[in-house]
Amino acid sequence: MNKTDLNLTDEWDKTFPKSDLVDHEKVTFHNRYGITLAADLYRPRSVIPGARLAAIAVCGPFGAVKEQCAGLYAQTLAERGFLTIAFDPSYTGESGGEPRYMASPDINTEDFLAAVDYLSCRADVDAERVGIVGICGWGGLALNAAALDPRIRATVASTMYDMARISAKGYFDANDSAEERRAQRRALAEQRTRDYAAGTYERTGGVVDPLPEDAPSYVCDYYDYYKTPRGYHPRSLNSNEGWNVIGTQSFLNQPILAYADEIESAVMVLHGDAAHSCYMGRDAFALLKGDNKELVLVPGAVHTDLYDGGGKNAIPWDKIQGFFEMYLR
């Protein structure tokens, strides 16, 4: 269970200002595949010495890094009394894993469970009060983690994507046919052959740049976050050259919400009601059972407004804080 030494940056290189209300440090932990993960830890300065805190692990969006909105969520929740970490998934950001820029429904779910391992073993954390936040594609993975690990007492899936559904059916389920999936499988198989022969992996290109004139509004929203000073980060896949073309292949036929109806712990599904992705949040919520589940729709908010507020204070911080205080008490 050895951890690999990672090359972690020392300077504050986030897309949001540093808070004077929390202490910050870089930490590492490992998952069960032996991959060492890098995280930013945020701890409220107002804590009584020796106190054991409720803790929250944050990750996402899919293709982002911890210096973007995951870090903003983590720092803001630390300001509100929780010990938090924002981590980079396996194969991305400052975390380990080779080859780079790969994704896996199993390994990325495991990344959340490894974060719970780490938090549960800290002396300043109450292991009975651990929650998670998954943003965008990590919202679906957070629900998968909550279905698998009863140590997770509360989960927030914010502006969530179900990456398996998108991969297999396309946006708005527009490509939901066996022939469409067969065509994808053929294309990915051919890409694997080319990559292996070349000895390198072709990249997808990240968020499209420049924007085509007929780009859908949600693509424009992604551009406004990932390609501008608002959210650009040099280690972010979405801001730069994207995933490997074959990097997300396994999502095509590995559903991640198959057991969402068996989640016993508390869940908040948080979405903007004007988001192109809202149908995925609504449908995921419909799978959940129990009176500790809550669907929160932010009026007029689009998908990326819940990344950083979108300049309109779209993230309902008080509601998120109240949810975690209720279920991590």
Side-chain angles (χ1 to χ4, degrees):
M1 298 178 71
N2 296 325
K3 291 192 296 184
T4 304
D5 290 334
L6 301 177
N7 183 23
L8 305 180
T9 185
D10 291 327
E11 72 268 14
W12 182 266
D13 61 347
K14 323 301 183 195
T15 60
F16 51 90
K18 188 174 185 179
S19 172
D20 293 331
L21 301 178
V22 304
D23 291 319
H24 164 264
E25 63 177 303
K26 289 286 183 74
V27 299
T28 61
F29 55 95
H30 62 274
N31 66 21
R32 67 185 171 96
Y33 293 102
I35 299 170
T36 300
L37 304 178
D40 287 295
L41 184 144
Y42 301 90
R43 193 171 188 273
R45 288 184 175 174
S46 59
V47 171
I48 299 171
R52 298 173 71 223
L53 303 178
I56 301 167
V58 187
C59 196
F62 197 76
V65 287
K66 64 188 182 304
E67 289 76 18
Q68 295 171 307
C69 52
L72 174 64
Y73 272 69
Q75 180 175 263
T76 303
L77 290 170
E79 290 177 329
R80 291 164 179 257
F82 303 95
L83 185 145
T84 65
I85 58 171
F87 65 90
D88 285 328
S90 296
Y91 309 112
T92 66
E94 292 187 304
S95 286
E98 295 289 340
R100 305 300 290 166
Y101 317 134
M102 296 294 185
S104 160
D106 179 24
I107 295 175
N108 293 148
T109 299
E110 163 62 20
D111 289 342
F112 257 134
L113 273 55
V116 175
D117 294 340
Y118 169 75
L119 291 172
S120 298
C121 292
R122 284 185 62 95
D124 54 358
V125 168
D126 182 346
E128 298 298 316
R129 296 190 293 153
V130 175
I132 61 175
V133 175
I135 307 164
C136 186
W138 277 81
L141 290 162
L143 294 179
N144 197 38
L148 187 59
D149 193 338
R151 297 175 302 169
I152 299 170
R153 301 306 173 91
T155 299
V156 171
S158 179
T159 195
M160 68 157 282
Y161 263 42
D162 176 348
M163 292 306 303
R165 180 176 180 177
I166 284 285
S167 297
K169 300 181 179 182
Y171 281 97
F172 315 110
D173 299 338
N175 301 322
D176 185 14
S177 73
E179 185 49 45
E180 291 279 1
R181 284 184 284 277
R182 291 188 186 107
Q184 279 200 73
R185 293 176 188 125
R186 288 192 293 270
L188 287 166
E190 292 167 1
Q191 184 66 51
R192 291 184 68 114
T193 302
R194 288 194 297 272
D195 287 349
Y196 197 91
T200 188
Y201 293 99
E202 186 176 335
R203 305 278 289 278
T204 60
V207 173
V208 63
D209 185 16
L211 277 172
E213 291 184 5
D214 61 348
S217 60
Y218 64 89
V219 174
C220 298
D221 293 337
Y222 283 132
Y223 181 95
D224 186 59
Y225 182 78
Y226 286 109
K227 291 293 191 175
T228 72
R230 172 185 167 193
Y232 176 85
H233 195 277
R235 287 193 295 275
S236 169
L237 300 186
N238 295 338
S239 291
N240 297 283
E241 294 306 310
W243 296 94
N244 297 333
V245 173
I246 68 165
T248 60
Q249 180 180 19
S250 55
F251 281 94
L252 180 56
N253 66 345
Q254 295 186 32
I256 58 176
L257 298 184
Y259 296 101
D261 62 329
E262 297 182 10
I263 299 174
E264 295 183 287
S265 57
V267 174
M268 173 190 288
V269 176
L270 172 64
H271 233 114
D273 69 0
H276 70 283
S277 52
C278 191
Y279 72 98
M280 285 184 275
R282 291 180 184 272
D283 289 355
F285 181 76
L287 299 174
L288 305 176
K289 295 180 179 179
D291 58 6
N292 57 353
K293 311 300 190 290
E294 183 177 3
L295 175 64
V296 177
L297 298 178
V298 180
V302 300
H303 183 85
T304 54
D305 286 340
L306 295 188
Y307 283 7
D308 61 352
K312 54 182 100 166
N313 299 316
I315 303 173
W317 294 117
D318 290 345
K319 187 168 283 289
I320 297 171
Q321 176 184 349
F323 170 80
F324 280 124
E325 286 177 344
M326 176 177 294
Y327 293 107
L328 299 183
R329 59 190 173 193

